[in-house]
Every structure is written in structure tokens, then in C-alpha cells.
Amino acid sequence: MSTTGDSDTIAQTEVETPASTSTNRRQPYGQGFLDTISEGWAERPDTPSPARAQAAYTAARRDAVSSAFPGRRLVIPAGELKQRSNDTDYPFRAHSAFSHLTGWASDAEPGSVLVFDPREGGDGHDVTLYFRERADRTTAEFYSDASIGEFWIGPRPALGGVAADLGVPTAHVDDFESREGDVVLDEDDELTRFVSELRLVKDAYEIAQMKLAVDVTARGFDDIVAHLPAIVAHPRGERIVEGVFHQRARSDGNAVGYDTIAASGPHACYLHWTRNDGAVVPGDLILIDAGAEVDSLYTADITRTLPVSGRFTDIQRRIYETVREAADAAFAAAKPGVMFRSIHEAAMQVIATRVAEWGLLPVTAAEALDADKGGQHRRYMVHGTSHHLGIDVHDCAQARRDMYYDGALEPGMVFTIEPGLYFQIDDLTVPEEYRGIGVRIEDDILMTADGPVNLSAGIPRTADEVEAWIARLSA
Ligand code: GLY
Ligand code: MN
Ligand code: MN
């Protein structure tokens, strides 16, 4: 990212060409422009606003970090813009831990840094959020810097406004200095692990945001079902699915939380099919794995598998309802105090039992379920059944195994349950009628003291409900 310092006023400095910008189409600014561009603008007072709803929660999170690292100076960068090509960048997304600790999310500034300075005497930390505030209109940055100038990208924040919004003292990023001994996120394993584990149990604000993300996602799935005729009519119907969902995610949320998987027919067996360039053919199933992320960056992660023609065939229904049986068994196994891995084990019990009954295994279900010598059923479901969900679709990825897979479920945890069955088009171990069928059902679960709550239960999920949904919205 090119930057232009505060002292770079129009009067003092020739405008530099930002490093990433080609010069072959730049037009020099005439003196008349330079003489007048900084004048004639209305005042824009930096009026502090009331703190955002998340401010009380982020303060508690920062207190937890401070207590865990007494006397240490902690540096948590938001990250920088990433170049896509030439002078275009990917949309900026702050580091998830930075957003979690500041509450600054979809509108966070690239290059910001959250710093915990230990107080003299070892009693806690002073926390400061450094960022490049908007440039004064007497500077060249304002009108000539295409990556951060307000003339180009629109209004940018001031120090006072952000401090009031987030409830954190702020300073200009030029005043930030790294020091010997700094504990830096992503460089220091202990800090990286701590802030990842800090997100395992969601607070009330986070749970409300997760519900919002699920609501937007539910509307996006309704949109897809309503567009099924147009989807089938297009030679790249999978792209229409992706586009229809994307429109809802952008209009009602911030973005998609991950690349949408729109996998029709045999594509459903490719677990991360995001090319989405296939036709959507009546008679096939289409597996759609999509999640909207809201402005706070919390995302849903939901999968539904639909019969394109509106009705499941017998074999499709048998496979679909077995996946649902596995999902329901996993849900029933999820209770506070139970190991996270029990969810997967419950789903696997159903999957192994059914595929053995169908004659697809060279061993018994019990033999397949043997932890050391078995696993034959995993050919048809190689992925896990659950992961934590939050600001990241695969949340808490740096948490220790004994806090995650081998840890106990606690109220406030949010995770997926997403069993599937996938019979590849060229898998000779299954009868022909199974080949090319892939089914996954994925729901977002909140654990409470009273047991699990399926946040996405409102999106039709039994075979009968799915057929009625299609009849209702796309007839
Ligand atoms: N959409 C990625 C996953 O389900 O984990
Ligand atoms: Mn998932
Ligand atoms: Mn998913």
C-alpha cells in the first residue's frame, strides 16, 4: 500500500506516484488544480458517537488477554491489503483476532495495530489502537492516493470517532514503534493460541451476531429455491446459485463467509467444489454449502441438498435420510460436558451401520468403526462432522487439541454438525445407482446449559420438508 505522510502538504511536496500504480496513464496536475484543490470544503467535525454495542464485550476480552500476559508488550496487527494484481487489491479483511479484540470489523482500516503496553509496576496494560486516520484535505494523500485517499475510496475515520465507537484510546499509526521483546500475534505461538482459545465460548453479543448471520443465510437459501427454474434454464446454473446467494449476502450482510459451494450432480462428491461452472440438471441433486457473514464478520456455514426436479428418487431419499439420521444422532450426542469428538463418533456410528447394511463395506460396521484397524466407511465421508464457527468459518483453528477435538462442550460454544455421504461417479465399490450422488446436511449449533439449539432449524431439512419447500417457492 502506498502512503503519504502527514507533512506531505500540497505546498511542500511534489506528488509521488504510488509504487503500485502505472504511470502510463497518469495525467499531471496543473498548477491551478494544486492551488485550489485544498480549499472550498465544508468542515467535518469529528463528533464522537456513543460506543458500539460490542464495546463492553471487547473490553472484557482485552482484560482476559492482559491478565494472561502480565508485564509483556503485546502487538496485534490487523494486517495489510493484499495485492490481487498490479494496482488492484483484494477486499481488506482484518485479522480475526484483531476484530475480536477491537470490535472493528468490516470497516477496519488496513495497517492498524492494537498494542497492549504493560503499566509500570506490572498492574495490567494500557491498550492503544493505532491506525492511519484520514488525511487532512491540505495533503496530496487526500486527492492523489488511489489506495487510501478519500477522493478515491470515500470517507475514512478520524482518531476521535474510532476511539468513541470502540471504547479504545487511539493514536496515529506513525506513532507506533515496535520494540525488542514485543510479543507479536502470529509470530508468538502462545499469544496466537491464547486468542484463538478465547473465541471457543461465545458471549451474548457474538451469539446474537451468529443468529443474524444464520437469518441472512436462510433468506439466501430461500432465494436459491425461488430461482430454481432460472437456475435449471442456464447452462452454468451452478453460477446462478452462487450469484443469487451472493446478492443476499451482500445486500443483507457484509459478504459470503467463504466461497459458496454450488455442486450439482456428481460435483457434490468433490467436497470443496467452488468452480461452480456446471449445469443444474433435473433428476440430480444439488448440494449447496453457503454462509453469509454479517458486518461484525460472524458467519453462518450451512448446507442443504436439494432434488433439482423437486422430488427425491428412492435412492436419493434413502441416502438423504441416512445423512439426516446421522445429523440427528450427532445432535442428540451433543451435551455440555461431553467431548467434542463424541459428535463425530455418533454420526460415524450411523454412517458405518447404514453403508454396511447396504452391502458397501468389505467388513462389518463394528470392524469399520475400530479406531485402529477400521475406517472403511470413511471412503464415503472423508471429512469431519463438526468444527467451531464464529468470525472464521473454521473458528479457533489455533486452539490446542485438548481444548478442541478432545475438549468438553460448554454452553456458549457454536459449532457445525455436517455429516454427508458421497459416492463418486467412478467408484466401483458401490452399485451403479449410488454413483454420482453426494449429500450433506449442515447446521449451526449453539450449545446452552439446557443442551444444543439448532440455529438453522428453520431452513427445511427433512426430505419431506425440502420437497414442500421447493413446491412452495419455485412452482
Ligand atoms: N463450508 C466449509 C465447511 O463446511 O466446513
Ligand atoms: Mn462447515
Ligand atoms: Mn459448510
Side-chain angles (χ1 to χ4, degrees), residues 14-61:
E14 243 177 64
V15 177
E16 279 181 30
T17 305
S20 62
T21 302
S22 164
T23 55
N24 60 9
R25 59 188 165 85
R26 271 181 84 84
Q27 301 161 38
Y29 295 110
Q31 195 55 48
F33 175 88
L34 297 174
D35 287 346
T36 56
I37 189 61
S38 63
E39 292 163 6
W41 305 107
E43 284 294 306
R44 41 179 191 172
D46 178 11
T47 315
S49 44
R52 297 181 188 183
Q54 62 267 46
Y57 297 96
T58 56
R61 298 171 202 162

Side-chain angles (χ1 to χ4, degrees), residues 258-259 261 272 289-290 301 303 387 393-394 416 418 440 442:
Y258 55 92
D259 288 343
I261 296 169
H272 286 169
D289 184 341
D301 178 12
T303 306
H387 56 80
V393 61
H394 295 160
T416 65
E418 51 176 305
R440 177 161 68 255
E442 178 173 25

Side-chain angles (χ1 to χ4, degrees), residues 293-360:
E293 162 190 287
V294 289
D295 288 344
S296 55
L297 302 185
Y298 289 83
T299 187
D301 178 12
I302 293 169
T303 306
R304 290 293 184 264
T305 306
L306 315 175
V308 176
S309 61
R311 301 298 293 264
F312 290 95
T313 64
D314 288 348
I315 181 80
Q316 289 168 348
R317 179 177 275 266
R318 187 187 325 149
I319 296 167
Y320 185 93
E321 286 293 81
T322 294
V323 172
R324 184 169 71 85
E325 184 189 353
D328 290 349
F331 185 82
K335 296 193 170 45
V338 164
M339 293 286 139
F340 189 88
R341 66 177 142 78
S342 310
I343 303 170
H344 180 61
E345 288 162 1
M348 286 301 96
Q349 181 78 43
V350 173
I351 295 291
T353 302
R354 294 288 174 243
V355 294
E357 280 173 11
W358 298 339
L360 306 185

Side-chain angles (χ1 to χ4, degrees), residues 224-415:
I224 292 168
V225 173
H227 279 80
L228 268 178
I231 288 162
V232 169
H234 196 281
R236 295 207 291 181
E238 291 176 347
R239 288 284 167 91
I240 310 298
V241 171
E242 178 185 329
V244 165
F245 188 81
H246 188 256
Q247 176 167 335
R248 180 63 71 177
R250 286 290 284 166
S251 64
D252 293 10
N254 179 50
V256 289
Y258 55 92
D259 288 343
T260 296
I261 296 169
S264 190
H267 291 162
C269 302
Y270 308 128
L271 300 175
H272 286 169
W273 176 261
T274 53
R275 204 185 302 166
N276 300 345
D277 60 356
V280 177
V281 180
D284 282 347
L285 299 178
I286 178 167
L287 182 158
I288 303 156
D289 184 341
E293 162 190 287
V294 289
D295 288 344
S296 55
L297 302 185
Y298 289 83
T299 187
D301 178 12
I302 293 169
T303 306
R304 290 293 184 264
T305 306
L306 315 175
V308 176
S309 61
R311 301 298 293 264
F312 290 95
T313 64
D314 288 348
I315 181 80
Q316 289 168 348
R317 179 177 275 266
R318 187 187 325 149
I319 296 167
Y320 185 93
E321 286 293 81
T322 294
V323 172
R324 184 169 71 85
E325 184 189 353
D328 290 349
F331 185 82
K335 296 193 170 45
V338 164
M339 293 286 139
F340 189 88
R341 66 177 142 78
S342 310
I343 303 170
H344 180 61
E345 288 162 1
M348 286 301 96
Q349 181 78 43
V350 173
I351 295 291
T353 302
R354 294 288 174 243
V355 294
E357 280 173 11
W358 298 339
L360 306 185
L361 296 185
V363 295
T364 65
E367 287 166 336
L369 287 165
D370 183 276
D372 294 327
K373 297 196 181 120
Q376 289 85 348
H377 58 293
R378 297 292 303 279
R379 181 184 184 102
Y380 311 117
M381 181 186 149
V382 293
H383 62 76
T385 305
S386 292
H387 56 80
H388 281 272
L389 184 65
I391 292 179
D392 285 315
V393 61
H394 295 160
D395 217 35
C396 313
Q398 286 79 32
R400 285 165 290 184
R401 188 178 174 92
D402 62 0
M403 301 281 287
Y404 196 132
Y405 197 65
D406 294 333
L409 293 168
E410 291 179 46
M413 287 182 167
V414 177
F415 52 88

Side-chain angles (χ1 to χ4, degrees), residues 331-332 334-336 410-413 415 445-454:
F331 185 82
K335 296 193 170 45
E410 291 179 46
M413 287 182 167
F415 52 88
I445 312 298
L446 166 67
M447 184 53 70
T448 74
D450 299 327
V453 175
N454 183 351

